[in-house]
Each structure stands twice: as C-alpha cells, then as structure tokens.
C-alpha cells in the first residue's frame, strides 16, 4: 500500500501539471478577421488610375483604386470579401476579388477629382460582419 | 495357639459374612431392576459428549440404562458443561431435550472477535471505500479538468481557423471567458479532489497497517479442559483413558 501511495503521488502531481498553462486571451490578436487584430496592415494600395467604361456612345470615365490584401497574414486559408467605405462620400460597398482567386480588389469612383487624395476604410468581411478597419489612401495624378 | 485359631476363624467368618452380605446386597440391588432408554436431543446435536455417572465418557444419541437416577455431564465445544440427573423409567424410552449454553469464554471470544471485525471494518473497509470514492471523485475531477482544457484548445483552434469576425468577437468576449472560468473551476476541483484522495489514501494505508498489527483473539476452551479430565471411555476393546489437551490456534 505504501508503494502504491508513493507511485500515486507523483502520478497525481504529473497529471496536475499537465494542464497548468492557461490560455492567454490577450495574445489572441493575430487573426486578421478579428475586430481586435493588432498585427501588421492587411491592406495596401497597388495603384490608382482613370479608365473609360461603358459602350460608345454611352461611355464614362471613373477612378480605379487597386488595392491588395496580404493573405499571408491569415492564420488559415479562408474565403472572404472586403467592405469598403469611401471616406469622401461615406458610401459603403462590399467587394470581391478581381480577378477571382487573387487577393486583388478594385474600387471604382465616378465623382473623382484629379490630384485629390482618396481615402478608403477597408475591412475584411464575412457573414455580414467586419474585421478591423484600415484606412488606405491613393492620389490620382 | 488356640486363641490364635479362634481369632483367625472368627476373622474368616466375619469376612465371609461381610462378603455374603455385600453379594446379597448387590444382587438385591440389581436383581429385579429393569432398563430404560434415554433418547438425547441435545443442542448442538453433532458435537456434544457426556460423562455418565461420573465415569464413562460417551457420545451417543440413545443410552440404555438401568432404571433410576443417573448423573450426566454434557458438554460440547464452545459450550458450558451442564450437570444433571436424569431418571430412567423402566421399559420406556424417554426423550430428553437439553440445550447447552455457550461458555462465558466463548461469549467473550465472540465479543472480542466481533470487536476485531468491527475495528477491521472501520480500519480497512471504511477507509478503503472512502479512498475509492475520493479516487473516483479525483478521476472525475481530472476528467472535467481535461475536458475544460480541451475546450480551451478547441477555442484556440477556432480562433485560428475562423474567418468570421462576429464569431471571433463572440468567442473572445463571451465564450472564452466562460470556458476559462470553467477551466479554473475544474482545476481547483481537481486539486481539491486529488488532495482529498491523497490524504484519504495515506490515512487508509496507516489505518490498514494499524489494523493488521492488532493480534486476533484466541479462544481457549476451558470447559473442554474441565470436561476432559481423566475419564473412562468405553469401547469394544474394553475402553481407554482419555485426557484433554487444548492448543490455542489462531
């Protein structure tokens, strides 16, 4: 019986030590889809330019802001969209990748002004909820 | 010489007369007496013995005796001796019911044995049962502890794999704190139950060692020693002398 007790004691101590680590919620900030994400910026502007759209004679010109999502920051491969808020007029849009399967997005603006900086508030979005918003800006030269 | 002759003759005559008188007396005392049977119904029925008329030790269920009173001394292992006089009725079979009471030594031995069993139960079975119960409690506590930890791991995996901001927000603000509290509670309960189990196991060990060191009571059948004094045991070859010897066996 003594031997059993001697064997039991370290066993219990070992078992009790197995799970002594607690989960540190404060460190859970590295998922870009988390509204509390604190890591590097997810969005970056590639370029902005003017393009002509429509079919002649009904054509129009618009500003295109191409930006990129750094999917390398994702903790796991995921499908997603991007919600963009135009800080110039307050309009919001939900954008999908263009081309599909890439991490490139295009925002179109009709009432643009050449030489004026255009800032967008972008956030990763899924199931009608958004992640941390980031502001990206581009100036049409 | 004559005087001597007269004296010797009278002595012989006196002895002869005395012998004749004894013979007649013995003859008259036995002649004309018939026999009767005693059927002995003794509790315990399988191990009793008796000494008849202070001389013959027997182990019979029926005895055929001359009519008249006879002294019996009954005895059985663990029982007290019972002395009684039974009157044999001529030409009749008489049932005699006798219950031998337990001897005081046996009663004391029984009490000591019961006390020892009770102490052993209290010292071994009860602490072992408590230890078993606390062990089950500790194992259950560990299971809950493990489940709570696995839930935290699942939460962490969900945080890593999820791409739904609302789900992540709800996980961090509601579910994870609740799971963490459950984990802390489970861990505390496991520590408590484990501590109680260890204390219980230590107490059980000490109690069993203590109980095993207590000597068991022995029974010395003093009534047997008294009963097995030197008596004549009749047998087919003429009988034998018997004497008792008691060896206490633990």
């Amino acid at each position: 019986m003594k031997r059993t007790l001697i064997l039991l004691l370290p066993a219990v101590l070992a078992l009790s030590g197995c799970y002594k680590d607690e989960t540190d919620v404060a460190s859970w900030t590295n998922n870009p889809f988390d509204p509390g994400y604190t890591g590097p910026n997810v969005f970056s502007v590639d370029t902005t330019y003017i393009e002509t759209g429509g079919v002649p004679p009904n054509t129009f010109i618009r500003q295109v802001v191409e930006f990129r999502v750094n999917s390398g920051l994702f903790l796991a491969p995921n499908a997603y969209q991007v919600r963009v808020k135009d800080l110039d007029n307050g309009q919001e849009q939900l954008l999908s990748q263009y081309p599909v399967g890439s991490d490139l997005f295009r925002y179109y603006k009709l009432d643009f002004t050449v030489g004026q900086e255009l800032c967008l508030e972008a956030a990763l979005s899924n199931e009608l909820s958004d992640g941390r918003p980031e502001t990206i800006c581009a100036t049409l030269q | 010489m004559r005087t001597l002759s007269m004296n010797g003759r009278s002595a012989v005559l006196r002895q002869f007369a005395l012998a004749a008188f004894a013979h007649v007396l013995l003859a008259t005392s036995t002649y004309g007496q018939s026999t009767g049977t005693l059927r002995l119904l003794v509790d315990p029925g399988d191990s009793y013995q008796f000494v008849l008329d202070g001389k013959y030790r027997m182990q019979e269920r029926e005895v055929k005796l001359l009519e008249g009173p006879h002294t019996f001394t009954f005895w059985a292992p663990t029982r007290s001796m019972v002395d009684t006089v039974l009157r044999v009725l001529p030409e009749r079979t008489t049932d005699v019911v006798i219950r031998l009471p337990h001897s005081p030594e046996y009663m004391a031995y029984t009490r000591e044995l019961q006390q020892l069993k009770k102490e052993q139960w209290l010292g071994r079975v009860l602490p072992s049962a408590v230890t078993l119960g606390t062990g089950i409690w500790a194992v259950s506590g560990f299971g809950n502890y493990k489940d709570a930890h696995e839930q935290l791991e699942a939460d962490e995996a969900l945080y890593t794999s999820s791409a739904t901001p609302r789900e992540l927000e709800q996980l961090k603000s509601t579910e994870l704190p609740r799971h963490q509290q459950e984990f802390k509670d489970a861990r505390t309960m496991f520590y408590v139950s484990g501590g109680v189990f260890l204390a219980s196991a230590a107490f059980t060990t000490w109690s069993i060692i203590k109980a095993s060191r207590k000597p068991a009571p022995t029974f010395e059948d003093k009534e047997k020693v008294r009963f097995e004094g030197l008596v004549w045991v009749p047998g087919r070859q003429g009988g034998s002398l018997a004497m008792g010897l008691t060896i206490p066996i633990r």
Side-chain angles (χ1 to χ4, degrees):
Chain A
M1 195 67 183
K2 278 181 180 175
R3 192 166 53 187
T4 306
L5 191 63
I6 291 170
L7 290 174
L8 273 176
L9 186 61
V12 171
L13 290 176
L15 288 176
S16 63
C18 281
Y19 300 125
K20 66 180 180 181
D21 293 331
E22 291 184 38
T23 303
D24 183 13
V25 187
S27 67
W28 288 16
T29 56
N30 58 339
N31 189 340
F33 292 92
D34 181 2
Y37 172 70
T38 58
N41 285 345
V42 177
F43 300 95
S44 59
V45 174
D46 272 4
T47 183
T48 180
Y49 53 88
I50 296 171
E51 73 173 12
T52 304
V55 179
N58 301 319
T59 58
F60 60 91
I61 56 172
R62 58 187 178 185
Q63 180 183 2
V64 180
V65 178
E66 280 190 7
F67 61 94
R68 180 182 300 273
V69 169
N70 185 4
S71 61
L73 297 172
F74 292 179
L75 300 180
N78 293 114
Y80 63 97
Q81 290 181 300
V82 172
R83 184 177 299 279
V84 173
K85 181 179 180 182
D86 188 335
L87 296 180
D88 182 36
N89 56 22
Q91 291 180 347
E92 289 188 7
Q93 289 185 30
L94 198 59
L95 305 179
S96 295
Q97 288 96 335
Y98 184 84
V100 177
S102 70
D103 292 319
L104 292 175
F105 291 81
R106 287 182 177 181
Y107 175 71
Y108 300 102
K109 185 175 175 63
L110 293 174
D111 52 338
F112 63 92
T113 305
V114 176
Q116 182 179 336
E117 185 182 57
L118 173 62
C119 289
L120 304 173
E121 190 179 81
L124 296 173
S125 180
N126 257 329
E127 299 181 16
L128 303 178
S129 60
D130 303 333
R132 182 189 73 172
E134 293 178 17
T135 301
I136 53 175
C137 297
T139 303
L140 187 63
Q141 300 297 334
Chain B
M1 184 68 181
R2 188 177 178 182
T3 306
L4 286 174
S5 174
M6 284 297 289
N7 287 341
R9 190 180 301 154
S10 63
V12 171
L13 283 173
R14 197 163 50 241
Q15 287 179 353
F16 177 76
L18 195 61
F21 175 74
H23 182 74
V24 169
L25 189 64
L26 187 63
T28 53
S29 65
T30 56
Y31 182 74
Q33 279 190 333
S34 55
T35 59
T37 302
L38 291 178
R39 183 183 294 143
L40 302 173
L41 305 171
V42 182
D43 173 34
D46 57 343
S47 58
Y48 73 89
Q49 300 174 34
F50 60 88
V51 173
L52 174 62
D53 293 330
K55 297 177 182 175
Y56 309 108
R57 203 173 87 187
M58 306 175 75
Q59 197 170 12
E60 304 290 339
R61 294 192 181 276
E62 281 189 4
V63 284
K64 194 170 186 179
L65 299 170
L66 291 175
E67 66 172 317
H70 293 274
T71 60
F72 285 79
T73 301
F74 290 95
W75 172 83
T78 73
R79 305 297 178 108
S80 290
M81 286 195 298
V82 171
D83 294 314
T84 186
V85 176
L86 301 176
R87 181 171 295 280
V88 176
L89 301 176
E91 307 301 334
R92 289 182 60 182
T93 298
T94 307
D95 288 347
V96 179
V97 179
I98 294 176
R99 184 183 179 282
L100 301 179
H102 286 290
S103 67
E105 293 84 8
Y106 181 74
M107 297 296 284
Y109 167 74
T110 306
R111 277 195 300 273
E112 288 179 11
L113 200 61
Q114 286 178 344
Q115 181 67 22
L116 180 71
K117 286 181 179 176
K118 186 179 176 183
E119 288 178 4
Q120 286 189 339
W121 190 85
L122 287 172
R124 292 181 180 177
V125 179
L126 189 60
S128 298
V130 171
T131 301
L132 180 64
T134 55
I136 292 171
W137 183 31
V139 170
S140 172
F142 179 73
N144 293 335
Y145 180 37
K146 184 170 174 286
D147 290 345
H149 184 264
E150 287 176 352
Q151 180 60 56
L152 289 181
E153 286 183 332
D155 290 345
E156 193 166 6
L158 178 63
Y159 182 80
T160 302
S161 63
S162 177
T164 308
R166 184 185 295 112
E167 185 179 50
L168 291 169
E169 190 173 21
Q170 187 178 0
L171 174 68
K172 289 175 68 176
S173 64
T174 308
E175 293 181 11
L176 189 61
R178 180 166 55 87
H179 293 157
Q180 281 187 313
Q181 187 59 45
E182 288 174 356
F183 174 76
K184 286 179 182 176
D185 294 344
R187 184 177 57 187
T188 303
M189 188 58 73
F190 171 62
Y191 286 166
V192 171
S193 61
V196 171
F197 168 66
L198 283 179
S200 176
F203 176 76
T204 300
T205 305
W206 171 78
S207 183
I208 288 175
I209 291 172
K210 183 185 173 189
S212 63
R213 284 178 180 170
K214 184 164 186 176
T218 56
F219 173 58
E220 185 180 355
D221 202 341
K222 293 179 180 175
E223 291 289 301
K224 183 180 181 182
V225 176
R226 285 178 54 202
F227 180 77
E228 291 187 344
L230 290 176
V231 292
W232 179 255
V233 181
R236 290 182 180 177
Q237 303 301 322
S240 59
L241 279 172
M243 58 186 295
L245 178 65
T246 299
I247 301 172
I249 299 173
R250 292 187 177 184

